Amino acid sequence: MSADVELDDVSVRFGPFLAVDRASLKIAGGEFFSILGPSGCGKTTLLRTISGFLQPSQGRVRIGGRDMAGLGANKRPTALIFQNLALFPLMTVADNVGYGLRVRGVARAERRRRVDALLQLVALPDQGGSLVSELSGGQKQRVAIARALAVEPQVLLLDEPLSALDLRLRQHMRSELRAIQKRVGITFIYITHDQGEALTMSDRIAVMNRGVIEQVGPGRAVYDDPATAFVASFVGENNCFEGTVVETGDGHAVVETGVGRLSGRRRNGLAVGDRALVFVRPEALRLVSDDAPAPIACELSSSAFEGNATHLFARARQGQPIVVTLSRRDEAGAMAPGQKLGLDYAAHDGLVLPANGHGAD
Amino acid sequence: MTGLRGVLFVGLPVAVILGFWLLARWEYRHGRDSHRQSFVARNGWPVVAFVVAAVGFWALVMIVLPQLYMVDFSFHPKLPPSQRGGPRDVYTLENYRYFLFGSTRSTASWNVTHITAFWLTIAVSMCITVLNFVICYPLAYFMAQVGTGSQVRKLMLLLIIPYWVNELLRAFAFNILFGTSGVLNVILLCTGVIASPIDFIGQDIALYSGLTYAYLLVMMFPLYNALESLDHNQIEAARDLGAPWWHVHLHVVMPFAKPGIASGCTLVFMLCAGALAAPLVLGGPKTLWFTPIVYDRFYQAFNWNQGAAYAIVLLLTCILFVMMVMRVFRVSLSEITR
């Protein structure tokens, strides 16, 4: 059974430090929800508040409509997977997985049956008798998942559990986690600083910075239509040009930046004369032929071939760095450092956001 | 006689060294790791020679030889110096016989006083060990897992400073505290809790408190060390899986801290059973504690041979007892020294 999680104006304060600042979220039952942010943004604090290790200084946490105020971690219908997994090193795999059941007084035979089923679910059958120390990183991961699922939580909380794995295993575990979530059907709340993880696995993502939830939405919306300068620069690669708004129109704006006049879609609340940032994704930029007029002129510093794509690193006027990602098809033959490049992009690929002091951290 | 003694004192240590050397050779040959240099290659001959000599001297001269001498002593009769090594200086069990039967020859009746004192000492030491554990575990847990850095530092200081005071002085302080007209009795009388003073010393309450207090730190530090290395996430994981606090301690924290618990308990038990200052100072007129009896064999009866026998009985019983308890709780010797 899955439950929805509702955070209502939750703040968590450590002395004078405000770790979570008035966070409000509604996470639907059965949703795979990610909270994405740089380290120290308060995402782990938020997770610990949901799991019951911390009580909010203000606001309410509701799980399945029930107010969790005053309930400790052992009384909540949640299970947490720790960043370092925190498996019990002296117990076998089966004892680890069955710990929560043992606490609940489930009889040995029944416990054994359920542990076996769980080990089957995480693709670790016949490993019940091994010690945790005998397992590989990926296997430990699966044991941690099975141990958390054993208590049949309504919400599974995951605190960057994949961060210790190597890249290939991490990518494999992403799809595995997603598949497990689909199978058990409970709510997953996944904490990560890795936008790739958040984008590939989640139904929805909340982007957090300095204790504040800056944007909530499906991955595509967060990537294509970031609400703040922080989201624009933190989620995915982005080129950022700072300047002053010189012209506003219906849903778009033109900004006078260090590299020239750039235009893009506009969020409400920008007027002529405001400081603004123009964001253009590396893959939205394209090379224009030498004779055509280009809004951005720059000089190639280096390039990196990555198989399916090539990244060009260039500098425009005033040392403004620019990254261009060219897909295989758009590649324009060999290029040497120092070569002059003209860049252009479709108007709807530019995004104009207010410069609010703390943009890209 | 001297020939046998010579074999015992020179041959045995040499045999032990030879045994260890052969063991090391064997291990080196069978567990050979091509990536690892030998101890000698890593540190050079002078360092190796010093380590071997220093450890060898310490182990042999300071530990093995005196003990061996005592063992030998315990199997000889008490004789005036002129007759030592003479025809009457034979190997005998009479000192052990005296401990059991109260006479060097007859086995008619048991030496009730000494045997009672012996077992009482073991039993009380056991109780004090348990009491010490009960006192120290929560404190060590708090210091290792709960308290903030400054709290832990303050607590540590409070724990250590009293131990700068000499053991004998501490025992006398307890004597003053628990005396018939001592601080505790005065307070209890003044507040009207009791009508007449309690004889804390005569009833051994002072002794047991003193012994408990004397070895708190010896329990504290191994426990603290063991608990400190426990990943706090494991406690939280157990909590998160729904475990009540006692279950977390019994099934997660204590199994992890088992080596520390075993090491602390062993030390406290051994030191307690062998304590001398506290029983001498805090013991009442009727107090039965084994070590003062051993002391009396040496310095009151001037019977060093009998004293040696008594001491060896205590030592062997304690070792056996500790081994047995470790066996029951499935702790290995190597875990304790970790």
Side-chain angles (χ1 to χ4, degrees):
Chain A
M1 197 182 86
S2 74
D4 58 314
V5 176
E6 195 183 337
L7 302 183
D8 186 5
D9 207 20
V10 168
S11 292
V12 183
R13 197 179 281 282
F14 298 116
F17 177 64
L18 193 58
V20 175
D21 186 4
R22 307 194 58 178
S24 290
L25 275 179
K26 274 195 169 121
I27 301 166
E31 190 172 13
F32 197 123
F33 191 90
S34 287
I35 301 174
L36 175 66
S39 58
C41 74
K43 55 192 193 301
T44 297
T45 305
L46 197 60
L47 195 76
R48 289 172 65 79
T49 310
I50 298 171
S51 67
F53 288 114
L54 291 172
Q55 296 289 340
S57 318
Q58 174 204 320
R60 305 228 160 270
V61 177
R62 286 188 207 92
I63 299 176
R66 207 152 62 91
D67 191 350
M68 290 288 130
L71 286 183
N74 57 335
K75 304 270 188 227
R76 295 195 181 188
T78 59
L80 175 61
I81 297 181
F82 290 78
Q83 185 165 18
N84 69 350
L85 306 181
L87 296 173
F88 306 126
L90 300 173
M91 297 184 195
T92 61
V93 167
D95 286 344
N96 261 286
V97 176
Y99 184 81
L101 300 174
R102 189 163 126 200
V103 168
R104 282 161 177 72
V106 176
R108 188 180 294 265
E110 167 71 3
R111 207 159 73 205
R112 203 193 146 88
R113 196 185 60 73
R114 279 160 71 175
V115 167
D116 283 348
L118 279 162
L119 288 177
Q120 198 81 41
L121 175 77
V122 297
L124 274 182
D126 315 320
Q127 291 279 9
S130 325
L131 279 174
V132 172
S133 55
E134 295 163 0
L135 302 182
S136 69
Q139 287 175 321
K140 284 181 187 159
Q141 205 81 52
R142 293 157 196 272
V143 175
I145 295 167
R147 184 178 73 173
L149 289 176
V151 297
E152 296 184 343
Q154 294 170 10
V155 180
L156 190 69
L157 309 168
L158 303 98
D159 186 5
E160 304 202 33
L162 302 187
S163 55
L165 302 181
D166 62 60
L167 183 66
R168 188 168 285 276
L169 198 53
R170 203 155 63 216
Q171 282 169 346
H172 175 72
M173 283 306 288
R174 281 182 197 172
S175 48
E176 188 106 349
L177 263 180
R178 184 71 205 187
I180 289 172
Q181 194 260 345
K182 282 266 188 298
R183 225 172 316 159
V184 295
I186 62 173
T187 315
F188 273 39
I189 302 180
Y190 190 94
I191 293 287
T192 183
H193 65 267
D194 181 333
Q195 31 127 348
E197 269 175 23
L199 290 172
T200 47
M201 289 193 290
S202 328
D203 294 318
R204 282 194 305 153
I205 298 172
V207 184
M208 226 178 146
N209 185 34
R210 302 183 180 198
V212 178
I213 295 176
E214 299 220 341
Q215 186 173 7
V216 181
R220 198 172 282 278
V222 170
Y223 188 84
D224 285 341
D225 200 11
T228 65
F230 171 77
V231 177
S233 53
F234 186 73
V235 182
E237 283 280 317
N238 229 331
N239 292 299
C240 174
F241 307 92
E242 191 171 359
T244 311
V245 179
V246 290
E247 188 189 322
T248 58
D250 184 24
H252 80 279
V254 179
V255 179
E256 183 71 51
T257 72
V259 300
R261 286 194 169 208
L262 299 176
S263 64
R265 283 175 294 138
R266 171 180 73 117
R267 288 234 160 201
N268 296 332
L270 270 176
V272 172
D274 286 350
R275 296 296 289 167
L277 299 168
V278 182
F279 289 97
V280 185
R281 296 274 179 204
E283 69 271 21
L285 288 167
R286 51 173 194 258
L287 298 170
V288 294
S289 48
D290 297 337
D291 39 351
I296 305 170
C298 57
E299 187 176 294
L300 185 68
S301 324
S302 65
S303 65
F305 174 66
E306 209 183 56
N308 55 353
T310 302
H311 303 289
L312 307 180
F313 302 97
R315 289 205 174 268
R317 258 187 289 161
Q318 298 177 345
Q320 164 85 43
I322 297 175
V323 184
V324 184
T325 300
L326 296 177
S327 73
R328 210 68 217 247
R329 236 178 320 151
D330 301 333
E331 257 183 288
M335 280 183 285
Q339 187 177 334
K340 300 270 185 253
L341 300 175
L343 298 172
D344 193 6
Y345 59 91
H348 63 265
D349 282 335
L351 183 68
V352 184
L353 292 168
N356 49 5
H358 60 91
D361 283 38
Chain B
M1 202 55 27
T2 40
L4 193 62
R5 221 178 246 192
V7 168
L8 203 68
F9 285 149
V10 181
L12 205 64
V14 170
V16 169
I17 293 175
L18 203 71
F20 276 118
W21 183 74
L22 284 172
L23 202 70
R25 291 288 304 177
W26 183 84
E27 212 171 73
Y28 179 69
R29 233 173 252 166
H30 290 263
R32 196 156 184 172
D33 185 345
S34 56
H35 294 289
R36 263 204 344 229
Q37 284 182 300
S38 77
F39 186 71
V40 177
R42 261 183 298 146
N43 300 291
W45 273 109
V47 174
V48 173
F50 173 75
V51 169
V52 169
V55 173
F57 176 82
W58 181 68
L60 281 180
V61 178
M62 315 288 254
I63 300 173
V64 177
L65 274 183
Q67 298 292 340
L68 277 179
Y69 209 78
M70 277 292 146
V71 172
D72 183 66
F73 235 73
S74 74
F75 288 105
H76 285 282
K78 180 193 175 190
L79 291 171
S82 58
Q83 290 186 29
R84 288 203 193 131
R88 290 187 56 205
D89 199 357
V90 291
Y91 280 106
T92 169
L93 286 172
E94 65 171 52
N95 297 315
Y96 294 92
R97 212 177 290 132
Y98 187 86
F99 167 67
L100 287 176
F101 306 107
S103 152
T104 50
R105 308 202 185 288
S106 144
T107 56
S109 63
W110 295 97
N111 186 353
V112 178
T113 323
H114 289 182
I115 292 174
T116 313
F118 179 76
W119 288 116
L120 201 69
T121 302
I122 301 278
V124 171
S125 297
M126 213 162 72
C127 293
I128 287 174
T129 307
V130 172
L131 187 65
N132 249 330
F133 176 71
V134 171
I135 294 170
C136 287
Y137 180 80
L139 200 58
Y141 179 78
F142 175 83
M143 281 172 46
Q145 294 287 342
V146 184
T148 61
S150 71
Q151 283 174 328
V152 172
R153 275 193 297 278
K154 276 178 211 144
L155 261 175
M156 200 70 102
L157 217 59
L158 284 177
L159 280 168
I160 291 173
I161 286 175
Y163 284 81
W164 293 354
V165 178
N166 174 287
E167 188 190 357
L168 213 56
L169 216 58
R170 252 185 291 141
F172 276 113
F174 261 69
N175 197 320
I176 294 167
L177 193 69
F178 282 107
T180 320
S181 55
V183 181
L184 203 60
N185 266 318
V186 170
I187 291 174
L188 288 176
L189 282 171
C190 285
T191 50
V193 179
I194 52 171
S196 57
I198 300 171
D199 185 8
F200 288 117
I201 292 178
Q203 295 186 344
D204 286 339
I205 293 171
L207 172 59
Y208 299 160
S209 314
L211 281 172
T212 308
Y213 177 65
Y215 302 117
L216 271 182
L217 274 201
V218 176
M219 179 67 89
M220 194 67 206
F221 281 112
L223 273 186
Y224 174 72
N225 269 345
L227 288 171
E228 211 208 357
S229 59
L230 174 63
D231 173 15
H232 193 72
N233 280 350
Q234 280 183 28
I235 298 165
E236 291 199 332
R239 283 296 277 175
D240 190 57
L241 292 169
W245 66 267
W246 61 266
H247 199 279
V248 179
H249 280 281
L250 209 61
H251 295 284
V252 176
V253 183
M254 282 191 194
F256 181 86
K258 204 163 73 172
I261 295 172
S263 143
C265 286
T266 314
L267 281 171
V268 170
F269 175 77
M270 288 290 206
L271 288 173
C272 206
L276 184 62
L280 279 184
V281 177
L282 291 171
K286 287 176 293 175
T287 300
L288 282 173
W289 198 260
F290 196 63
T291 42
I293 295 175
V294 178
Y295 181 82
D296 282 352
R297 294 298 100 199
F298 279 100
Y299 291 107
Q300 299 294 317
F302 289 108
N303 193 337
W304 281 51
N305 305 83
Q306 219 172 63
Y310 273 51
I312 281 159
V313 168
L314 183 65
L315 180 67
L316 286 183
T317 312
C318 285
I319 290 175
L320 278 178
F321 183 78
V322 166
M323 302 279 247
M324 206 177 70
V325 172
M326 275 165 55
R327 196 59 186 264
V328 170
F329 287 100
R330 303 218 182 102
V331 193
S332 73
L333 206 58
S334 58
E335 273 181 296
I336 283 195
T337 53
R338 202 161 59 183

